[in-house]
Amino acid sequence: MNIQTHIEETVMPVPSASPTPIIEVRDTQVFYGEKQAIIDVNVEIEPNAVTAFIGPSGCGKSTLLRCLNRMNDVIPICRVEGSITLAGQDIYAPEVDVVALRQKVGMVFQKPNPFPKSIFENVAYGPKINGLTKHKLEMEEIVETSLKRAGLWEEVKDRLDQPGTGLSGGQQQRLCIARAIAVQPKVILMDEPCSALDPIATATVETLIDELREKYTIIIVTHSMQQAARVSQKTAFFHLGELVEFGTTEQIFSAPRQERTQNYITGRIG
Amino acid sequence: MTDTVDIRIPARSPRHRSERRFRLYGMAAIAVSLGFLALMVGSIVLRGTGAFQQAFVNIEINLPANKIDPDGTGDPLVIKKSRFGSLVKKAMRERFPEAKSRKEKRQLYKLISATAEYGVRDTVVANPKLVGTRASLWVRASSDVDMFLKGNISAEVAEDQRRVSDLQLGWIKDLHDKGQIEKRFNTQFFTSGDSREPEQAGILGAIIGSALTLLVCFLFSFPTGVLSAVYLEEFAHKGRINRIIEVNINNLAAVPSIVFGLLGLAIFLNVFGFPRSTPLVGGMVLALMTLPTIIIASRASLRAVPPSIREAAFGLGASKVQTTFHHVVPLAMPGMLTGSIIGMAQALGETAPLLMIGMVAFIVDLPGGVTEAATALPVQIFLWADSPERGFLEKTSAAIFVLLIFLVLMNLIAIVLRRRLETRW
Ligand SMILES: Nc1ncnc2c1ncn2[C@@H]1O[C@H](COP(=O)(O)OP(=O)(O)OP(=O)(O)O)[C@@H](O)[C@H]1O
Ligand SMILES: [Mg+2]
């Protein structure tokens, strides 16, 4: 396949029956130095839904995800072009406060990365630095609700003062989700949140994601087709830096319009 | 499928042989280095332990009230001013009345230390009731007598070749037979400063000097080193300039220490006019020297903090400064502290730069602050090693011994700190 055909096949505007998108990615290119990792991507993320990014390794899923809360800023050679808006505001505009943006768009990483501090401090850190509260009681409340929402409260309520790094992998990942929830974000980005977890922990986290959808918009990168099918309402398929196809999960998995999508979900590329 | 599977070590495989040979070489190398270490420590301990003992002579001494404290005030200041020297000499003459001529008397006085009168003085000041009595006191023997008792001077040698005359030998024998001379633990070695008399010289002045110097060194180099490392590692753009700085810091760590001494002489003393020979300047010079070590160690431990921790903090909306100081620096702190203590330990053993800034002076008083002239442990060793008197030889070894103990202690602290503070992921 040559590049020309790629581009012709690529853009598939989604029929706009859906509610006003919370995040809009328009004509976005991302470069690492000379190398282009994202080519002309357009995506609209629906609020209070789970959107899955799928695609073979190295196709730019993580790159695009990290653009959405400007985590790429810390990579000096990374350059973003085009426009990405959150609730109508361009997040790359000069007047934007990255810190405030990241508070609105939280992130959960592939490898659980709790701070080597107590469980309580892990959850309380975000609210503390963002000045959500100064009172001890309020803070305890925030920690409790966040842990409850992350489905971890029952397991850790008696040992909040113990290190978060002492939990099991699945618990650590839920702790990281609780930590992200605690700053009251609008959007939660998850980069392969279950790839380091066993099937049981994965199932717990997946249930959790489904519940979280009510209050938050979730974008999840995953390598597992089943996971995408189970948890997401929308799916975007990327290949070699391009968005090949974007639609409802049902449609992508049952009736892909693009040959490459078809090949990928049936396991022929990747 | 029943292939024979042989997984035993083949009897004469060259690979196996070479492996064993290599292990032997390695063990031999370790044995050699351990041997040298044992030799060094052994010889220092053997030669140095003598210095922890000192010969004392028992004398019956008259302490007449009219000479010491005529008005009966009991005032230490009055007592201090009296001339105990003549009293001590008188006591010696009474003990050995056979010494008649001036020459013989001089030899007699040389049995005890020239500083013996201060020992008597301090005893009397501490216990004024002794005034007006005849007391039996132990006074410090002279270095030559001390050396003789420790077997460092042989009686076999011809009289004109040894520092103890036949006459003195007789007296010593007499004292010895009556139990009036004995070796005791030399507390003075740990409680006083340097002295011209080997039997009187102590190491406390040098220890205090070293401690003050290291304190200054730490106060200057630790904050500067850690902040530089944090800035270079976390904030500075990782471009060519950063790399050039890194290379230069590495080079700086390899600069001979005497060069730092010259720098200190030229800048701290001649330009800024700081006081010579003081722990302040010594510490600053050593700080220049330790700085690269601390920066390198700190950068390494910052680099060892997993990036996922930084990402986690950024993802929660922490700013660069918050991420660095709430998470990264605390996690890197054990490594930074360990590096600093090892740098300090190096600084403790440094001599050359201190010589350059004049910390090599002969100083009797214990230094009372960082701006008072002082000497340091390695310089004290250098000074004593340079002295011709036999008595200073064992002091030198003893001082090395003390220095080594401090070095080992510091390294132990570094290890314990690392163990204690280390985060287990
Ligand atoms: N920090 C970086 N510096 C340079 N190139 C990078 C960097 N991060 C990613 N890339 C490149 O960008 C492209 C997209 O990478 P990205 O991590 O987004 O892929 P991905 O889809 O998340 O893959 P995976 O499924 O393996 O996580 C890759 O070709 C990768 O080599
Ligand atoms: Mg990825």
Side-chain angles (χ1 to χ4, degrees):
Chain A
M1 276 198 280
N2 63 39
I3 294 182
Q4 199 56 43
T5 51
H6 271 214
I7 293 168
E8 279 164 9
E9 290 171 358
T10 305
V11 188
M12 277 298 306
V14 194
S16 53
S18 42
T20 28
I22 181 160
I23 292 179
E24 283 179 89
V25 178
R26 293 256 162 270
D27 305 323
T28 295
Q29 333 271 342
V30 182
F31 302 86
Y32 289 108
E34 292 296 298
K35 188 176 178 300
Q36 186 159 9
I38 291 288
I39 306 162
D40 252 337
V41 166
N42 288 277
V43 170
E44 291 171 349
I45 306 293
E46 203 180 291
N48 295 80
V50 180
T51 305
F53 286 1
I54 60 169
S57 192
C59 66
K61 308 177 295 289
S62 299
T63 302
L64 183 64
L65 195 73
R66 293 164 59 91
C67 286
L68 302 182
N69 67 346
R70 291 182 57 175
M71 282 299 275
N72 280 339
D73 287 13
V74 296
I75 301 171
I77 55 166
C78 182
R79 187 159 50 86
V80 180
E81 284 174 11
S83 100
I84 300 177
T85 58
L86 172 70
Q89 303 164 58
D90 185 353
I91 64 169
Y92 280 89
E95 69 272 13
V96 165
D97 178 11
V98 190
V99 169
L101 169 69
R102 291 190 190 140
Q103 194 211 314
K104 290 289 162 229
V105 185
M107 188 150 195
V108 175
F109 298 85
Q110 177 168 4
K111 213 175 130 240
N113 55 354
F115 300 123
K117 300 185 174 189
S118 75
I119 294 172
F120 185 91
E121 282 173 288
N122 259 288
V123 183
Y125 181 70
K128 197 170 80 195
I129 56 167
N130 287 304
L132 292 190
T133 179
K134 286 210 165 51
H135 301 289
K136 202 167 165 289
L137 281 179
E138 269 176 44
M139 185 60 89
E140 279 169 4
E141 213 177 292
I142 292 179
V143 171
E144 185 176 334
T145 13
S146 309
L147 284 169
K148 273 183 178 154
R149 243 176 242 164
L152 194 59
W153 176 249
E154 289 304 320
E155 287 155 73
V156 300
K157 64 181 176 200
D158 302 322
R159 43 169 172 158
L160 291 177
D161 54 341
Q162 284 178 21
T165 38
L167 297 173
S168 77
Q171 289 173 325
Q172 285 189 19
Q173 196 60 299
R174 277 180 285 150
L175 178 61
C176 292
I177 294 175
R179 185 174 67 181
I181 294 172
V183 291
Q184 297 165 11
K186 289 263 171 284
V187 181
I188 304 176
L189 311 175
M190 300 186 176
D191 195 346
E192 301 181 38
C194 299
S195 65
L197 305 185
D198 65 71
I200 294 171
T202 302
T204 325
V205 173
E206 280 178 8
T207 324
L208 170 60
I209 292 173
D210 203 46
E211 288 163 14
L212 290 176
R213 173 160 66 96
E214 279 184 28
K215 296 195 75 119
Y216 311 95
T217 305
I218 293 172
I219 306 174
I220 178 172
V221 170
T222 175
H223 272 285
S224 151
M225 236 66 69
Q226 292 85 346
Q227 183 169 64
R230 279 194 300 262
V231 300
S232 71
Q233 286 74 53
K234 291 291 195 75
T235 297
F237 170 61
F238 293 85
H239 189 217
L240 299 173
E242 298 168 30
L243 176 63
V244 177
E245 188 164 354
F246 182 43
T248 63
T249 303
E250 213 181 285
Q251 176 253 309
I252 295 278
F253 283 97
S254 56
R257 297 202 182 94
Q258 299 289 334
E259 198 192 332
R260 280 191 285 170
T261 317
Q262 171 79 43
N263 287 346
Y264 181 69
I265 58 178
T266 53
R268 258 172 282 166
I269 50 172
Chain B
M1 288 257 282
T2 48
D3 274 345
T4 51
V5 178
D6 190 0
I7 52 167
R8 287 167 305 163
I9 298 168
R12 279 215 193 90
S13 117
R15 190 179 63 175
H16 185 239
R17 254 206 323 261
S18 85
E19 225 165 77
R20 212 164 39 194
R21 194 162 355 111
F22 183 77
R23 257 221 308 268
L24 271 179
Y25 290 156
M27 266 148 50
I30 289 175
V32 168
S33 47
L34 280 184
F36 277 119
L37 189 70
L39 202 67
M40 186 189 82
V41 173
S43 84
I44 287 168
V45 170
L46 270 186
R47 281 207 236 150
T49 40
F52 300 126
Q53 291 207 316
Q54 162 71 35
F56 280 82
V57 176
N58 185 255
I59 54 171
E60 296 280 324
I61 183 168
N62 273 321
L63 301 166
N66 60 341
K67 288 241 173 91
I68 298 174
D69 189 11
D71 306 332
T73 53
D75 182 357
L77 286 178
V78 176
I79 297 176
K80 256 190 186 157
K81 290 218 181 76
S82 350
R83 302 169 46 111
F84 286 97
S86 54
L87 296 178
V88 172
K89 282 178 181 165
K90 190 152 165 261
M92 287 305 283
R93 282 199 305 274
E94 284 169 7
R95 174 68 181 76
F96 294 108
E98 63 268 30
K100 288 275 171 2
S101 70
R102 277 177 68 91
K103 210 175 142 214
E104 284 169 351
K105 281 184 191 159
R106 218 174 29 241
Q107 287 192 32
L108 178 63
Y109 301 150
K110 278 206 175 144
L111 284 183
I112 55 170
S113 165
T115 61
E117 56 176 290
Y118 306 125
V120 175
R121 181 192 66 191
D122 293 344
T123 316
V124 177
V125 168
N127 188 3
K129 283 203 194 94
L130 289 175
V131 176
T133 63
R134 182 176 169 81
S136 153
L137 297 181
W138 287 91
V139 298
R140 207 160 275 273
S142 73
S143 180
D144 291 336
V145 173
D146 187 47
M147 285 297 110
F148 175 74
L149 282 184
K150 287 173 185 163
N152 292 332
I153 294 176
S154 162
E156 323 275 84
V157 185
E159 188 181 11
D160 58 348
Q161 305 229 334
R162 67 174 122 85
R163 292 181 59 91
V164 189
S165 68
D166 288 343
L167 191 59
Q168 286 175 320
L169 281 184
W171 290 329
I172 294 173
K173 188 164 182 333
D174 188 46
L175 285 169
H176 191 72
D177 292 344
K178 298 204 169 88
Q180 285 168 332
I181 188 164
E182 67 181 37
K183 283 187 281 180
R184 300 176 155 195
F185 183 69
N186 187 7
T187 43
Q188 185 116 20
F189 183 66
F190 298 102
T191 57
S192 76
D194 199 4
S195 168
R196 292 277 181 228
E197 315 297 334
E199 70 274 13
Q200 177 76 15
I203 203 170
L204 185 63
I207 291 180
I208 295 179
S210 269
L212 290 174
T213 309
L214 282 191
L215 182 73
V216 173
C217 172
F218 184 80
L219 290 182
F220 275 98
S221 61
F222 185 72
T224 324
V226 167
L227 281 181
S228 318
V230 167
Y231 181 76
L232 287 173
E233 204 53 48
E234 302 289 324
F235 293 90
H237 176 62
K238 294 262 183 336
R240 179 176 305 175
I241 298 181
N242 200 327
R243 268 208 306 282
I244 292 178
I245 292 178
E246 174 157 16
V247 168
N248 278 302
I249 289 173
N250 289 345
N251 286 340
L252 219 53
V255 168
S257 55
I258 195 156
V259 176
F260 288 108
L262 280 169
L263 188 75
L265 175 65
I267 294 184
F268 298 142
L269 295 185
N270 294 345
V271 177
F272 294 157
F274 289 148
R276 286 184 77 79
S277 316
T278 55
L280 176 67
V281 178
M284 285 165 79
V285 169
L286 292 181
L288 291 181
M289 212 197 77
T290 10
L291 207 49
T293 315
I294 295 183
I295 295 179
I296 293 170
S298 302
R299 285 189 78 160
S301 55
L302 284 170
R303 239 173 276 161
V305 174
S308 62
I309 293 295
R310 296 183 182 84
E311 285 192 326
F314 284 139
L316 289 173
S319 64
K320 189 95 203 178
V321 172
Q322 285 172 328
T323 304
T324 305
F325 288 99
H326 293 174
H327 299 286
V328 181
V329 172
L331 287 176
M333 203 34 102
M336 292 175 166
L337 277 178
T338 316
S340 307
I341 292 175
I342 287 168
M344 294 287 127
Q346 273 171 12
L348 175 62
E350 262 324 319
T351 324
L354 300 185
L355 301 185
M356 298 312 299
I357 54 125
M359 278 185 88
V360 68
F362 170 73
I363 290 150
V364 176
D365 295 325
L366 302 180
V370 292
T371 52
E372 282 175 29
T375 182
L377 269 174
V379 182
Q380 187 70 75
I381 292 169
F382 171 78
L383 281 172
W384 283 347
D386 219 22
S387 308
E389 286 94 337
R390 185 68 178 77
F392 278 123
L393 194 64
E394 61 177 25
K395 301 275 159 171
T396 310
S397 293
I400 295 175
F401 193 56
V402 171
L403 179 63
L404 286 183
I405 286 179
F406 275 108
L407 286 178
V408 169
L409 271 183
M410 287 175 80
N411 283 313
L412 273 183
I413 292 175
I415 292 172
V416 170
L417 262 184
R418 191 161 41 193
R419 285 268 174 84
R420 275 280 165 79
L421 299 176
E422 208 166 50
T423 323
R424 280 171 238 290
W425 306 100

